[in-house]
Amino acid sequence: MTFPALLPRIIIVSGPSGSGKSTLVQKLRDLPGLMFSVSYTTRPRRGTESPGKWYDFITETEFQQKIARDEFLEYAQVFGKHWYGTPRKHVEEARAQRLDLVLEIDVQGARQVKAKLPEAIAIFIVPPSSEDLERRLRERGQDSDEAIARRLERARQEMTRSCEYDFVVVNDDLERASSEVRAIVVAARCRRRDNDERLRRILDTFGGS
Ligand code: 5GP
């Protein structure tokens, strides 16, 4: 097996709240060769979340110290409220372990990563319609009518940024959407520019160029 110089591949997954992006990222967990970034956040921990699994929960002061020490690959204040950031160290860890790194981040973070690492593969998950998203948010039962209206407006704003992504997956059917996300990762691994060394070695078996 060969490991191209461009490793780690960075796979960004974004999408509006309620689009099902976390479920789709979960479904990637049985694909070999992936590492999943754990972000730092200042938002309070929800009852169902254990620290260090989805997020490392820190104070705003600690977050600002990390910004000052340039510890983030990207960071953003999401929904104008809490801070979220991807630690730079995950990129080094993924490189050392020769794994591709998955980032589940918002549109602001995706833009920063793409600016720094244009080879990053950015996937945008969309619901099939606004009505469908509203229904999913209501079924979750977490939000008031007002909060749902706010989430729908944010979703609209985020969807206008989908043109910044390389791939769009419509999540109207979880199994199909999941196989599409996996197909994107698998196809990215077959990119010619990521396989130059391997190709050269194969060409050598034919007597070289
Ligand atoms: P939640 O608080 O519901 O888990 O996440 C809120 C939003 O923050 C989601 O859109 C999620 O993708 C985004 N997010 C999570 N971690 C990061 C991160 O490290 N950086 C950025 N920019 N966004 C993040």
Side-chain angles (χ1 to χ4, degrees), residues 70-114:
D70 198 23
E71 286 184 25
F72 290 118
L73 171 65
E74 64 73 36
Y75 64 91
Q77 192 177 22
V78 179
F79 309 145
K81 218 168 158 194
H82 302 298
W83 293 87
Y84 296 79
T86 304
R88 235 179 240 293
K89 64 177 185 215
H90 287 335
V91 180
E92 297 317 317
E93 284 166 20
R95 182 173 291 128
Q97 294 179 46
R98 303 182 162 190
L99 297 171
D100 298 330
L101 181 64
V102 179
L103 311 179
E104 188 189 326
I105 58 178
D106 85 323
V107 289
Q108 305 170 78
R111 181 180 274 187
Q112 292 172 42
V113 175
K114 274 294 227 182

Side-chain angles (χ1 to χ4, degrees), residues 34-198:
L34 292 177
M35 176 176 151
F36 294 82
S37 171
V38 177
S39 299
Y40 284 108
T41 182
T42 62
R43 102 152 146 64
R45 184 159 69 87
R46 295 180 188 134
T48 50
E49 294 172 323
S50 38
K53 190 164 182 213
W54 312 121
Y55 291 111
D56 275 321
F57 298 92
I58 59 176
T59 65
E60 198 146 334
T61 309
E62 288 169 325
F63 199 96
Q64 293 302 330
Q65 286 166 348
K66 287 184 184 295
I67 295 176
R69 291 196 297 261
D70 198 23
E71 286 184 25
F72 290 118
L73 171 65
E74 64 73 36
Y75 64 91
Q77 192 177 22
V78 179
F79 309 145
K81 218 168 158 194
H82 302 298
W83 293 87
Y84 296 79
T86 304
R88 235 179 240 293
K89 64 177 185 215
H90 287 335
V91 180
E92 297 317 317
E93 284 166 20
R95 182 173 291 128
Q97 294 179 46
R98 303 182 162 190
L99 297 171
D100 298 330
L101 181 64
V102 179
L103 311 179
E104 188 189 326
I105 58 178
D106 85 323
V107 289
Q108 305 170 78
R111 181 180 274 187
Q112 292 172 42
V113 175
K114 274 294 227 182
K116 284 182 191 162
L117 305 166
E119 305 293 333
I121 299 133
I123 310 173
F124 197 73
I125 311 293
V126 289
S129 68
S130 148
E131 292 76 26
D132 186 89
L133 185 61
E134 182 169 352
R135 184 181 49 75
R136 286 190 213 190
L137 291 170
R138 290 199 186 283
E139 278 171 10
R140 281 204 315 206
Q142 284 175 6
D143 300 304
S144 62
D145 282 358
E146 198 195 336
I148 287 178
R150 264 203 316 271
R151 283 190 193 276
L152 286 172
E153 173 51 21
R154 274 189 217 126
R156 195 190 62 74
Q157 287 169 16
E158 285 169 352
M159 305 253 308
T160 63
R161 307 273 289 269
S162 56
C163 54
E164 298 174 22
Y165 287 73
D166 303 301
F167 295 93
V168 169
V169 170
V170 181
N171 188 10
D172 48 0
D173 175 279
L174 187 59
E175 289 315 313
R176 215 211 56 249
S178 166
S179 66
E180 287 180 1
V181 172
R182 294 166 81 94
I184 293 164
V185 175
V186 173
R189 290 176 170 169
C190 297
R191 283 198 297 204
R192 198 270 309 145
R193 64 176 173 226
D194 290 7
N195 285 281
D196 273 353
E197 190 192 320
R198 192 178 195 185

